[in-house]
Amino acid sequence: GETIYRGPVIAIITPFESQLATIFNEMESLLKGNSGLTSQVSSGSGGRLFTRSPYKLTIEDSRMEKNGKKILKNGGVVLGFVSGISTKEDGSGGGSSRGISPDIIYLDEMDMIPPETLEKVILPLRATNANVQIIATSTPIGRRGKFYDWSLNDPSWKSDYLPSTVLPHWDTIEDDIVNDVSEEGFKTEYMAEFISEGSGVFKTEYIYNAMAHYEYSDVLRKGGEWWDEIAGILDKNICITV
């Protein structure tokens, strides 16, 4: 039969609705800058190009002639979901994204999406399509989770490192920023570095390392190998014995 081409189904998932609104407003602004593109959008009303509940932007399912036959012109859809707040213990938070079959998944500020939501709601979406593409961006917050592994440990992922120093006007704002933020805040927010979170009694990396599978006999082993190699603690004087 006739080959029919359609635009992709794109799912944009963010931890906060304000981020999602910013992304869709930016897409709308870009589309409105081109009358030809604007005319292809079929979603939205009252001058808007997308609907807000749920977030959805649809490229018109218009048809064009080719060799006397009707073929699909595009039909692409951009869907938006919030998966970072009101997450339940069973990982059902962000459940509104269940049941979709995306071609492209874009995770914005991925490091702030709860791990249980990623595991039980978002990542299973990869099984709905044989060639799902995932794009993840985030400011590192110190969590040693999926974003950390994909960025630094998994060779099957392509990683791009884009600190604030790539901004063309960085030289004009650098001094003010350095003077206004802490060293850790500068490293994470502006240099996009994975570091240990400074808040709390224990460093984040120690907590995640302590969650590894081990036997107490390993902890008590002489020589300190477990502390160095598994727990990642070089200075054992900071440990609290209970």
Side-chain angles (χ1 to χ4, degrees):
E2 184 72 22
T3 300
I4 296 179
Y5 299 95
R6 69 164 177 81
V9 175
I10 302 172
I12 300 175
I13 304 175
T14 72
F16 304 107
E17 185 172 357
S18 59
Q19 292 173 283
L20 198 58
T22 298
I23 292 173
F24 272 76
N25 284 330
E26 182 64 21
M27 286 194 295
E28 181 181 75
S29 177
L30 293 172
L31 287 167
K32 285 185 174 180
N34 186 306
S35 59
L37 291 176
T38 302
S39 65
Q40 299 300 309
V41 179
S42 60
S43 53
S45 61
R48 303 309 302 263
L49 298 184
F50 64 90
T51 59
R52 205 176 171 98
S53 295
Y55 279 88
K56 184 176 182 180
L57 190 152
T58 305
I59 303 300
E60 187 177 8
D61 186 5
S62 57
R63 294 178 180 272
M64 61 184 293
E65 296 281 349
K66 182 178 180 181
N67 298 326
K69 296 183 179 180
K70 299 284 188 178
I71 62 172
L72 192 65
K73 186 172 183 180
N74 195 304
V77 180
V78 182
L79 304 170
F81 303 96
V82 177
S83 290
I85 55 178
S86 302
T87 304
K88 300 179 181 179
E89 292 183 358
D90 62 358
S92 61
S96 60
S97 60
R98 291 181 183 273
I100 65 173
S101 181
D103 299 292
I104 300 172
I105 300 173
Y106 171 53
L107 305 177
D108 186 44
E109 292 296 358
M110 176 183 170
D111 222 9
M112 296 183 185
I113 297 177
E116 59 270 21
T117 302
L118 280 170
E119 178 183 351
K120 298 179 180 180
V121 179
I122 297 174
L123 295 184
L125 294 175
R126 292 180 295 183
T128 64
N129 191 316
N131 298 299
V132 177
Q133 179 182 3
I134 298 181
I135 301 171
T137 62
S138 187
T139 299
I141 63 171
R143 175 183 291 150
R144 295 303 189 254
K146 284 291 184 183
F147 186 69
Y148 175 85
D149 289 337
W150 290 353
S151 299
L152 301 180
N153 298 328
D154 192 336
S156 66
W157 287 82
K158 179 183 181 297
S159 179
D160 291 317
Y161 173 62
L162 297 172
S164 296
T165 52
V166 303
L167 295 171
H169 59 276
W170 174 251
D171 290 341
T172 64
I173 62 175
E174 179 180 7
D175 291 341
D176 290 337
I177 289 175
V178 171
N179 293 330
D180 288 341
V181 299
S182 66
E183 181 181 355
E184 288 192 353
F186 179 75
K187 288 181 178 179
T188 56
E189 290 294 328
Y190 297 96
M191 299 306 296
E193 295 181 11
F194 288 94
I195 65 171
S196 297
E197 293 176 306
S199 60
V201 178
F202 301 105
K203 289 186 176 182
T204 305
E205 62 181 291
Y206 293 166
I207 296 174
Y208 273 86
N209 289 337
M211 294 168 64
H213 295 292
Y214 62 88
E215 302 289 338
Y216 281 109
S217 58
D218 296 329
V219 180
L220 300 176
R221 191 170 55 197
K222 292 183 178 181
E225 294 91 349
W226 182 87
W227 294 95
D228 297 344
E229 299 173 8
I230 306 300
I233 299 175
L234 303 180
D235 183 2
K236 291 179 280 298
N237 293 324
I238 66 172
C239 297
I240 300 175
T241 304
V242 294

